[in-house]
Amino acid sequence: MITRFITDVSTVFNPFSAKSKTARLFLSFLPSNARSIMKINTKLLPRASREKSSVQLKFKDGKEMKLDAETLGIKGVMEEVDRHSRLLARQEELSGN
């Protein structure tokens, strides 16, 4: 997963729910120095909560993504993040920076 263009990560999930596995896995795929290069917010829901787990991202170009972690799955979330990150990498490469 390409993370160098991500500036902000916000996750909302119930740690006791099996449906929150995608949000937990996404956080585990972030690099070890992620806290120093991006802002990470995590909201843990109570056990009885019915709110869906979600992942919100902001990129360096200002684009914001709100991904439904329950329906997409970890592969779907990573595909969406990589798709936009590859676009930003291509733009950076073409501009010569």
Side-chain angles (χ1 to χ4, degrees):
M1 184 169 64
I2 304 168
T3 60
R4 71 175 191 229
F5 299 108
I6 299 173
T7 59
D8 192 2
V9 176
S10 297
T11 58
V12 176
F13 64 93
N14 178 352
F16 303 105
S17 172
K19 293 182 178 181
S20 67
K21 183 177 182 179
T22 301
R24 292 190 315 259
L25 281 174
F26 182 81
L27 289 174
S28 71
F29 284 134
L30 293 176
S32 58
N33 64 345
R35 292 229 179 246
S36 63
I37 53 178
M38 64 182 79
K39 185 178 175 186
I40 300 175
N41 295 319
T42 303
K43 179 182 174 188
L44 299 177
L45 300 171
R47 185 182 297 257
S49 176
R50 295 287 178 207
E51 189 177 339
K52 286 189 165 195
S53 62
S54 66
V55 177
Q56 291 180 312
L57 304 165
K58 289 183 185 174
F59 290 89
K60 286 186 178 179
D61 67 342
K63 179 173 174 124
E64 295 184 24
M65 282 186 181
K66 182 171 182 177
L67 305 169
D68 183 9
E70 289 185 11
T71 57
L72 279 177
I74 189 63
K75 286 184 181 181
V77 171
M78 289 177 65
E79 282 178 14
E80 292 293 324
V81 171
D82 283 344
R83 179 178 297 133
H84 190 68
S85 293
R86 282 193 302 270
L87 179 72
L88 292 176
R90 189 174 309 123
Q91 287 175 353
E92 183 182 70
E93 190 175 296
L94 290 174
S95 68
N97 292 335

